[in-house]
Amino acid sequence: MKSKRLLCLFLFMFVVYSTWGYVEAAPICITLNTIQKCQAGNFFGEITQCCPPAAYTKGPVVDFIPKRDRHPGPLRVRKALQCLSGDELSSYSEKLWKAYELMQALPQDDPRSFYQQNAMHCAYGSGAFVQDGTGNLTIDIHFNWYFSPWHRMFLYFHERILQSLLDDPTFTLHFWNFDNSFDAEKANRNKEGCFRVGHFFPELYSDPSKSTFHANRSVRPFTANLPADLSILNRSETPLRFVSEAVPRNKEVMHRSMQPGKSPLDFHGWEFKYGQPQNLNISGGGSLEFLPHNSIHRWIGGSTSLTTHAPEDPIFYVFHSNLERLWDVWQRLGGGRKDPSSPDWLDAEFLFYDENAVLRRVKVKDSLVMKDFGYTYERVFDESWLFFDNSTLTPVKPSN
Ligand SMILES: *[C@@H]1O[C@H](CO)[C@@H](O)[C@H](O)[C@H]1NC(C)=O
Ligand SMILES: *[C@@H]1O[C@H](CO)[C@@H](O)[C@H](O)[C@H]1NC(C)=O
Ligand SMILES: *[C@@H]1O[C@H](CO)[C@@H](O)[C@H](O)[C@H]1NC(C)=O
Ligand SMILES: *[C@@H]1O[C@H](CO)[C@@H](O)[C@H](O)[C@H]1NC(C)=O
Ligand SMILES: *[C@@H]1O[C@H](CO)[C@@H](O)[C@H](O)[C@H]1NC(C)=O
Ligand SMILES: [Cu+2]
């Protein structure tokens, strides 16, 4: 444990006292120094100003080890939004809307504010952070293998802040099960879980009078009976696609994205190590990031299609919770699916603000097991795409 921690410290000292050209490959480490040297970002020509508020960059930095530091108690269950109903739906809606109202009401320069949630994602995603000691090598958590671990941690701290605002450590961010295009309710009536189609935009995020609403979306999420389109990224035109057309394509995309791949990088994305320039090639994203994730961003459209603004829409947090769920599903599917074993990935460190506005350091290697964070997901119908036969573009009847 200690020696790994030293890696990032050593790296920083080495870099400061010698020429960085000699540095061997090493993980990306965000330190207090990185945060303090935050600069204007540049995302494909958009100049961003999204550095953390200066008053909160003095430290301390406190290690966060999910298994040790999560709220005690039983695992919370993140549920599929399309199956919430009755009393559970009404009490959950009230809490959710209240939580975002409170977060949106925090001052802009409070790192826990809704404004700063977007800013943090923007800083990490638009080259505002420079690799310590390199002068001009910037950092990104998209288009590379940090995508899944970073977004899991980001959501986790977002959820802790919502819990703290509600003064309810059991509050749970649910998920948009956009990947389930198959209504399996009848066949699974007596089973525990959610088997309803999940590909329509969640209603909890569609009410203009509520804090989870965001007007800056394309027409698609506002169009009745229009399923999310997981292959929209791969077309130059973006016509509306109705159920019969989108469903087989979505299943095919999911089936393909969740394959073991030839190496873990096919799922996780290109390597990105200390000393390398930030990659802005979208092909660097792994199979989960590249198609389903990028397509959902584009399908919702408006500010969600812009990396530097996407978390301004509360829907961001619930479609990303489904993506990090899918990482867990992928790990458990086996069949050669294995996370990278390179220390350049495992020893990477990121900083986030917790519910007390304290900087917390989490390592990639501590983020690999979802349950360590204290939650799990409701069982849903992944068989929707799992048994898809891509040679015929038709679904195979799932065996239940
Ligand atoms: C970054 O810094 C290196 C080394 O100082 C220099 O050679 C390179 O031109 C710089 N690149 C940019 C884009 O400024
Ligand atoms: C994009 O679509 C083309 C034509 O439909 C297909 O050949 C190609 O494999 C697709 N690429 C991806 C990444 O889905
Ligand atoms: C992005 O990467 C892909 C795959 O390696 C490559 O074919 C493509 O030319 C790259 N695009 C740019 C703009 O560099
Ligand atoms: C949507 O948000 C983006 C990013 O903030 C902004 O550039 C754009 O003007 C907004 N569009 C509308 C219609 O408000
Ligand atoms: C079907 O999936 C397999 C395994 O991922 C892949 O090798 C093959 O190219 C896919 N076929 C089509 C038509 O996409
Ligand atoms: Cu992101």
Side-chain angles (χ1 to χ4, degrees):
M1 283 287 175
K2 265 261 144 62
S3 64
K4 301 285 189 190
R5 171 76 206 103
L6 285 178
L7 194 63
C8 284
L9 282 178
F10 170 77
L11 179 69
F12 180 56
M13 290 163 65
F14 187 84
V15 160
V16 169
Y17 297 116
S18 66
T19 32
W20 72 269
Y22 294 121
V23 172
E24 293 290 321
I28 294 286
C29 294
I30 304 286
T31 67
L32 204 52
N33 177 69
T34 323
I35 301 258
Q36 288 163 355
K37 298 227 166 90
C38 182
Q39 60 180 22
N42 183 332
F43 192 75
F44 295 101
E46 183 198 351
I47 305 301
T48 64
Q49 304 289 345
C50 40
C51 293
Y56 293 88
T57 59
K58 315 266 186 276
V61 172
V62 181
D63 277 323
F64 188 88
I65 303 188
K67 208 188 250 181
R68 184 190 75 193
D69 298 330
R70 70 173 180 88
H71 292 312
L75 292 181
R76 291 174 293 110
V77 182
R78 292 186 178 174
K79 296 196 170 176
L81 288 167
Q82 77 271 22
C83 285
L84 292 179
S85 66
D87 290 347
E88 186 181 20
L89 174 62
S90 33
S91 67
Y92 182 73
S93 319
E94 292 307 320
K95 281 196 178 186
L96 178 75
W97 291 327
K98 180 81 185 161
Y100 278 100
E101 267 167 41
L102 293 168
M103 192 179 248
Q104 286 157 3
L106 290 173
Q108 272 198 9
D109 59 358
D110 184 323
R112 295 163 295 192
S113 66
F114 192 63
Y115 178 87
Q116 290 295 338
Q117 300 295 297
N118 180 68
M120 194 59 144
H121 180 265
C122 164
Y124 271 104
S126 68
F129 292 143
V130 176
Q131 299 170 37
D132 286 352
T134 64
N136 62 10
L137 292 176
T138 49
I139 286 166
D140 205 338
I141 40 76
H142 299 113
F143 319 133
N144 66 53
W145 63 358
Y146 295 128
F147 173 79
S148 283
W150 188 89
H151 285 80
R152 168 172 290 169
M153 301 177 205
F154 178 59
L155 248 59
Y156 176 73
F157 286 102
H158 179 76
E159 186 183 61
R160 274 183 85 104
I161 298 168
L162 296 172
Q163 291 167 343
S164 151
L165 291 166
L166 290 170
D167 197 15
D168 178 0
T170 68
F171 177 77
T172 298
L173 207 59
H174 290 329
F175 69 103
W176 178 15
N177 184 202
F178 58 74
D179 55 299
N180 180 16
S181 293
F182 191 88
D183 189 349
E185 266 200 301
K186 276 199 188 118
N188 293 278
R189 197 177 291 131
N190 300 318
K191 291 195 191 145
E192 205 167 311
C194 172
F195 301 96
R196 190 177 291 177
V197 166
H199 57 200
F200 299 116
F201 192 83
E203 284 174 26
L204 272 179
Y205 291 77
S206 303
D207 181 340
S209 69
K210 304 298 185 207
S211 57
T212 48
F213 183 77
H214 189 70
N216 194 332
R217 295 170 180 156
S218 76
V219 66
R220 291 181 286 270
F222 298 116
T223 306
N225 302 318
L226 189 71
D229 184 341
L230 302 182
S231 60
I232 199 168
L233 186 81
N234 193 29
R235 294 192 306 273
S236 51
E237 285 169 42
T238 56
L240 301 184
R241 297 187 137 203
F242 287 89
V243 175
S244 58
E245 209 187 341
V247 163
R249 293 289 311 167
N250 286 357
K251 291 181 180 189
E252 190 277 327
V253 163
M254 286 310 303
H255 182 89
R256 183 152 45 105
S257 300
M258 296 291 281
Q259 291 303 308
K262 289 191 194 72
S263 99
L265 303 183
D266 290 341
F267 179 80
H268 279 283
W270 292 355
E271 294 184 336
F272 178 42
K273 301 177 184 180
Y274 181 82
Q276 292 179 339
Q278 180 187 355
N279 163 50
L280 286 171
N281 187 334
I282 194 172
S283 302
S287 55
L288 184 68
E289 178 184 358
F290 184 70
L291 261 191
H293 160 265
N294 286 336
S295 295
I296 288 282
H297 274 278
R298 179 135 346 152
W299 184 84
I300 295 170
S303 46
T304 295
S305 60
L306 306 166
T307 298
T308 48
H309 295 276
E312 288 169 7
D313 186 339
I315 193 67
F316 176 94
Y317 305 92
V318 286
F319 77 77
H320 267 279
S321 58
N322 193 36
L323 289 159
E324 76 102 21
R325 180 187 75 84
L326 288 165
W327 175 22
D328 176 69
V329 170
W330 183 83
Q331 288 171 324
R332 286 184 295 105
L333 279 173
R337 294 167 178 84
K338 277 213 160 62
D339 290 329
S341 55
S342 162
D344 296 328
W345 189 67
L346 295 169
D347 293 331
E349 298 180 353
F350 298 110
L351 298 183
F352 299 91
Y353 289 99
D354 71 10
E355 70 278 16
N356 299 311
V358 170
L359 279 166
R360 306 302 295 265
R361 174 171 42 227
V362 195
K363 299 170 187 65
V364 164
K365 65 163 177 252
D366 287 325
S367 76
L368 309 182
V369 178
M370 195 182 73
K371 283 183 183 159
D372 289 350
F373 288 85
Y375 60 84
T376 181
Y377 284 87
E378 179 177 28
R379 188 234 192 281
V380 290
F381 200 64
D382 296 326
E383 293 87 336
S384 164
W385 43 261
L386 196 54
F387 299 111
F388 188 80
D389 176 0
N390 68 353
S391 63
T392 61
L393 267 186
T394 54
V396 171
K397 201 174 179 303
S399 51
N400 332 249

